[in-house]
Amino acid sequence: MRSFLFVPGDSVRKFESAKKTAADALILDLEDSIAPEGKVAARSITRQMLDARNPAQKMYIRVNALDTDMTLADLAAVMPGKPDGIVLPKCAGSPDVNTLSLYLDAFEAAFGIAHGTTRIVTVATETARAVLKLMDFENMSPRLWGMMWGAEDLAASLGASRNRTDGRFNSPFVLARDLCLIAAAAAGVVAIDTIAADINDLDGLKAESVAARQDGFLAKAVIHPKHVDVVNAAFMPTEEEFAWSERVVAAFAGNPSGVVKMDGKMLDKPHLRAAEKILAQRGK
């Protein structure tokens, strides 16, 4: 999984376009892209989109936040379509994840879906409180699959007039990004980089995506179809990285000591784990 393409939950036209991209997953959005008066209609349209999915793409639904009193209605509308996962916005730690997990327990049972198969991805940095709760994932549901960071709502929460200067995130947003990455690693789930808001700056998107992968993010959210191929390419390891990884795995094969020497350097188990992660991405 490298790219998550957001699609407004009320736009069949944009959904049909998104289906034709190489996005690994679509996030059908019932939250920010839908006006309050359009929420009910969007649920029905999103349900139809699930029935018309591209089998090559995972399908996630971003529901409305738990404090809106709309989450259950969102889930009741879309869960019969068996989405692969639910994206939870404004998430503030394990209690929110566990509440959503309980809801999913009930809906899976009601609609004949195998228990525990619906994943949860949190948008984990949209409020100041959420950032402070990033390390509160010690007792989260095993449904948690990924943590995404976002900068737009966080700016409003902080009262910031902007989140970037000259194309670079300002320091509070860099902090939120890095804490999300660290929290995801600590929880053993996938860290997902935020969207690039400038649709036409593909060079900036490439640089941002490469930097994210180098730091440890495994995927990126995107808001326009033309971003998908750039992100997919940036999150795919290079042939040199694949070759290095193969050599590392071969060097450790049958070596009980846990330490090997390669190219004049000592390698230990963290290098092996890194190599295995890189090789696991082959063929995506």
Side-chain angles (χ1 to χ4, degrees):
M1 298 285 284
R2 301 156 297 175
S3 51
F4 287 78
L5 175 58
F6 277 100
V7 180
D10 62 352
S11 178
V12 174
R13 178 183 64 82
K14 291 182 178 179
F15 172 66
E16 291 298 327
S17 176
K19 282 170 59 178
K20 298 173 184 176
T21 72
D24 294 316
L26 304 185
I27 299 177
L28 307 182
D29 186 30
L30 294 175
E31 194 211 12
D32 285 347
S33 64
I34 308 298
E37 62 273 15
K39 298 287 187 182
V40 173
R43 290 172 185 143
S44 176
I45 296 169
T46 295
R47 173 67 180 84
Q48 295 170 32
M49 291 177 183
L50 287 170
D51 288 341
R53 72 183 74 187
N54 176 352
Q57 292 171 326
K58 299 291 186 182
M59 297 288 280
Y60 285 72
I61 311 295
R62 180 164 70 172
V63 296
N64 288 281
L66 292 173
D67 63 2
T68 65
D69 294 326
M70 291 186 282
T71 314
L72 282 171
D74 290 342
L75 292 171
V78 302
M79 285 301 292
K82 300 181 180 180
D84 295 287
I86 301 297
V87 177
L88 179 65
K90 313 296 189 299
C91 180
S94 59
D96 285 358
V97 173
N98 293 340
T99 295
L100 176 57
S101 182
L102 287 173
Y103 292 167
L104 293 176
D105 286 346
F107 283 113
E108 286 177 344
F111 297 122
I113 301 169
H115 178 263
T117 55
T118 310
R119 297 168 168 175
I120 294 175
V121 170
T122 65
V123 189
T125 67
E126 292 188 297
T127 67
R129 180 173 180 270
V131 174
L132 293 178
K133 292 287 187 177
L134 272 169
M135 302 306 173
D136 182 25
F137 285 88
E138 290 294 328
N139 299 301
M140 78 292 186
S141 164
R143 291 182 186 272
L144 183 65
W145 183 86
M147 296 170 64
M148 181 189 303
W149 85 280
E152 307 308 317
D153 287 277
L154 181 58
S157 178
L158 296 177
S161 59
R162 63 174 66 180
N163 54 35
R164 294 178 185 247
T165 301
D166 296 328
R168 295 181 178 273
F169 281 111
N170 296 337
S171 60
F173 304 94
V174 174
L175 174 64
R177 170 193 184 275
D178 293 350
L179 286 176
C180 181
L181 173 63
I182 293 168
V189 300
V190 172
I192 305 169
D193 193 30
T194 192
I195 62 147
D198 189 337
I199 292 174
N200 296 315
D201 185 7
L202 298 185
D203 288 338
L205 170 66
K206 179 180 178 180
E208 187 172 294
S209 301
V210 169
R213 188 179 79 83
Q214 289 175 342
D215 285 347
F217 287 93
L218 293 179
K220 187 171 179 65
V222 298
I223 57 172
H224 195 279
K226 68 181 180 181
H227 284 192
V228 171
D229 289 343
V230 176
V231 167
N232 282 352
F235 276 87
M236 179 59 68
T238 65
E239 288 304 316
E240 290 77 9
E241 289 174 305
F242 281 130
W244 175 85
S245 300
E246 289 173 342
R247 293 177 61 220
V248 170
V249 171
F252 275 95
N255 188 322
S257 70
V259 179
V260 300
K261 186 176 181 180
M262 192 175 85
D263 299 333
K265 298 178 180 179
M266 299 304 296
L267 305 180
D268 54 16
K269 287 303 176 80
H271 295 97
L272 175 60
R273 289 194 293 271
E276 290 171 339
K277 286 183 178 180
I278 289 172
L279 292 177
Q281 296 182 66
R282 192 189 294 274
K284 289 188 177 181

